[in-house]
Amino acid sequence: MKAGILYGPKDIRLGEMPEPQITAEEVLLESHAAGICGTDLHIYRGEFESRVRYPAVQGHEFGGVIVQVGKNVNGFKPGDRVVVDPIISCHQCPACLSGHINACQTLKLLGVDMKGGYGQFVAVPADHIFRLPDNIPMTHAPMVEMYALGHHILQRGGVQPGETVAILGTGKLGLSILDVLCHSVSPGITIVSDLQPFRLETALKLGADHAINIRKTDPVERVLELTNGIGVDCVIEAVGHYHLMEGHEAPLAQAVRMIRNGGRIVTTGLGDQTSAVHFRTLVMKEAKIIASRVTLGEFPRAIQMMSRGLLHPELLITDMQPLASIGEAFQQVDRESPETIKIVLEIKEN
């Protein structure tokens, strides 16, 4: 089969791989569309070499059509359109046994630790697939995982209707969280910050009340101004790996100053920097810093919202590329073009 194959850091191109064989509990999926996310970029840059074995077939945000089902699989048949939850947990470690399977001690992901959606065919456990309604285009299937992340992050932050929320970072993840926030939680005030005008404009289209360009305005001062000096109920840090501007604090340090007394911070990014935080301020506010990792059963909610037309994947998917152009697509993401939000690869040839 054809696949987008990562042979080493920044060496990804179209190649040939053996077609996978399924077990009795798996389905063979013909991949139709797969997204490129921040984790994929880190893998492409060689930052996951302790987990990823070359040659690797990435792609953990994907959907397609079932072409074969294992003998023990019930409820699915060839021809079904589905989307894939890529998280594979052990169900035996302390985290899994306490219901925290997304923090599994040996967590694996299709498309990271195992072959994923950048191949024409993928072997997927049948209990990790969800039907994709006919009114959701297959090209939007990769966004299900992103919106499920949005649901999970908001749940981790305990965000309630009427609360004030600030989202730091308007990349793929930040905008996905914002889309879910504005169209499911009914926040009181929603504030976003970034340094890219195109992404800030997209945030306003999605429903943000205020968009702060950090090149021009101090985000902490502006958040406090907008909340009459009180601060927001919840700050979501979705920046990840950041480029610290002169005179600015790290995003997590900004978040500590932005929240109200008793507020919450949810940190979601996978940046490798250490961030100085003024812990006296955090303690005096008796605030919380909460981490959020992948998803925990939120796929059905994301699918339902997409099916009802409540979310806006068409604003976040800025580029569609054929699988044959996977090298050029990753180069585009690696350049961090300010007008590129989400690239989706069309795996199935038309």
Side-chain angles (χ1 to χ4, degrees):
M1 68 174 186
K2 292 181 180 178
I5 302 172
L6 183 69
Y7 293 95
K10 296 196 176 186
D11 181 12
I12 191 167
R13 46 199 154 90
L14 190 65
E16 293 285 339
M17 294 286 283
E19 186 174 312
Q21 302 298 309
I22 62 170
T23 67
E25 286 74 32
E26 292 179 327
V27 302
L28 184 65
L29 186 71
E30 182 183 42
S31 181
H32 281 215
I36 300 176
C37 85
T39 300
D40 294 314
L41 179 60
H42 288 300
I43 295 169
Y44 169 77
R45 289 172 172 171
E47 298 168 18
F48 273 58
E49 289 189 312
S50 61
R51 286 176 62 179
V52 175
R53 296 179 179 275
Y54 305 124
V57 179
Q58 296 170 248
H60 62 273
E61 305 169 348
F62 66 103
V65 173
I66 295 174
V67 295
Q68 183 184 350
V69 298
K71 65 179 182 180
N72 294 339
V73 174
N74 297 309
F76 292 99
K77 64 183 185 306
D80 286 347
R81 303 169 79 248
V82 297
V83 67
V84 179
D85 181 346
I87 299 168
I88 309 294
S89 304
C90 74
H91 300 285
Q92 296 178 352
C93 71
C96 285
L97 292 175
S98 65
H100 214 160
I101 60 172
N102 59 323
C104 173
Q105 190 171 346
T106 58
L107 185 77
K108 292 180 171 56
L109 269 77
L110 292 165
V112 178
D113 307 280
M114 296 167 281
K115 291 179 174 60
Y118 295 169
Q120 284 183 299
F121 298 97
V122 192
V124 180
D127 57 359
H128 284 61
I129 57 176
F130 298 89
R131 281 191 176 80
L132 191 69
D134 290 339
N135 67 340
I136 299 178
M138 191 59 75
T139 52
H140 290 178
M143 289 301 301
V144 173
E145 203 254 3
M146 295 299 298
Y147 287 133
L149 284 170
H151 278 288
H152 183 66
I153 289 161
L154 293 171
Q155 184 172 347
R156 290 286 291 162
V159 177
Q160 300 297 313
E163 287 196 317
T164 53
V165 180
I167 299 175
L168 312 186
T170 56
K172 295 176 281 292
L173 180 57
L175 291 174
S176 298
I177 300 166
L178 175 68
D179 205 0
V180 175
L181 172 66
C182 290
H183 302 99
S184 67
V185 181
S186 300
I189 301 175
T190 304
I191 307 164
V192 299
S193 68
D194 204 300
L195 48 75
Q196 301 294 356
F198 175 75
R199 296 179 181 183
L200 291 170
E201 290 168 9
T202 302
L204 291 172
K205 291 177 182 177
L206 290 172
D209 296 299
H210 304 277
I212 303 169
N213 186 328
I214 64 173
R215 293 187 190 276
K216 301 177 180 179
T217 304
D218 183 291
V220 177
E221 290 181 3
R222 181 59 176 150
V223 166
L224 294 177
E225 178 186 354
L226 290 168
T227 57
N228 298 314
I230 295 172
V232 293
D233 296 297
C234 184
V235 177
I236 298 170
E237 181 276 303
V239 178
H241 189 86
Y242 56 85
H243 304 287
L244 195 60
M245 294 174 56
E246 185 176 353
H248 282 247
E249 298 173 292
L252 197 58
Q254 293 177 14
V256 170
R257 294 174 57 206
M258 286 179 182
I259 50 170
R260 64 164 172 82
N261 286 21
R264 295 97 61 200
I265 299 166
V266 184
T267 182
T268 69
L270 290 177
D272 55 7
Q273 306 101 317
T274 56
S275 297
V277 171
H278 195 263
F279 277 93
R280 181 177 179 182
T281 302
L282 187 72
V283 171
M284 293 301 290
K285 289 184 175 182
E286 199 180 45
K288 297 178 182 178
I289 298 180
I290 305 159
S292 183
R293 184 185 185 191
V294 293
T295 60
L296 185 59
E298 292 87 5
F299 269 59
R301 275 182 271 175
I303 292 169
Q304 186 174 45
M305 287 190 71
M306 291 176 71
S307 181
R308 293 185 60 195
L310 298 175
L311 302 175
H312 305 85
E314 71 281 356
L315 292 179
L316 302 188
I317 298 172
T318 49
D319 297 87
M320 298 289 303
Q321 299 277 8
L323 179 61
S325 300
I326 191 169
E328 292 86 344
F330 266 87
Q331 289 171 15
Q332 182 177 342
V333 176
D334 191 34
R335 289 194 299 269
E336 298 184 7
S337 168
E339 296 194 357
T340 297
I341 298 173
K342 187 73 172 178
I343 294 181
V344 170
L345 295 169
E346 295 182 277
I347 310 301
K348 180 176 170 57
E349 296 179 354
N350 294 322

